[in-house]
Amino acid sequence: MKTFNSFFNKVLMTLLTFLGFSSCCEDTAEEYGTPHATYKLIGTVVDEDKHPIQNVQIYESEYSYYDIQDSTVMNLIFSNMSEKAKSDEKGNFQVSADCISNQIIVRFIHEGYEKIDTVFNYKDEKYVGGKGWYSGEATKEVNINMKKVKSNDK
């Protein structure tokens, strides 16, 4: 009986070890067993006259909105990030993020226009292609209206 327990303990330790290592192989922020999804944001950036704006820099963050209650923290989050996309000549853009939160925070920047920080929530979106812990992909289509910076020079 003692031999059986010793053998059983070794087999159990080996299995748990492999399960632990297999959960750490991906280069993601999720913990093992955490549901996650791919969130896609597709849209167009236009000015106040509805003309498309080209080369708008688009940054994305997977931080929860509840983590960032003021603009100082928001600026810190985005200061260490590189742009994820730029709008094309028709103002079209596409950004995607793999994360565990059901929302992404996006910043739109273009010289001569006011910066826009906004949260896109995917709670009520339809998820496609999910399996196991992966919930699938949710897509949201949006239009972003940027305002020109008002000059104090008169």
Side-chain angles (χ1 to χ4, degrees), residues 27-61:
D27 187 23
T28 60
E30 295 94 23
E31 294 180 26
Y32 176 70
T34 303
H36 64 284
T38 301
Y39 301 104
K40 203 180 257 187
L41 186 66
I42 298 171
T44 305
V45 184
V46 295
D47 63 14
E48 297 151 307
D49 298 323
K50 304 297 181 206
H51 297 113
I53 305 174
Q54 184 177 3
N55 293 324
V56 174
Q57 297 172 304
I58 302 162
Y59 297 80
E60 167 269 321
S61 173

Side-chain angles (χ1 to χ4, degrees), residues 36-37 41 44 56 81 88 93 104 106 125 151:
H36 64 284
L41 186 66
T44 305
V56 174
M81 298 185 72
D88 64 16
F93 69 92
I104 59 174
V106 181
E125 301 301 318
S151 175

Side-chain angles (χ1 to χ4, degrees), residues 12-27:
L12 186 61
M13 284 188 341
T14 303
L15 286 174
L16 290 174
T17 300
F18 284 123
L19 285 174
F21 282 125
S22 67
S23 70
C24 301
C25 292
E26 299 207 18
D27 187 23

Side-chain angles (χ1 to χ4, degrees), residues 51-86:
H51 297 113
I53 305 174
Q54 184 177 3
N55 293 324
V56 174
Q57 297 172 304
I58 302 162
Y59 297 80
E60 167 269 321
S61 173
E62 295 135 23
Y63 283 91
S64 169
Y65 176 70
Y66 303 106
D67 294 342
I68 51 171
Q69 296 299 320
D70 62 47
S71 61
T72 305
V73 176
M74 183 84 89
N75 287 330
L76 282 171
I77 290 170
F78 284 107
S79 67
N80 295 321
M81 298 185 72
S82 59
E83 71 183 47
K84 297 285 183 170
K86 277 191 177 182

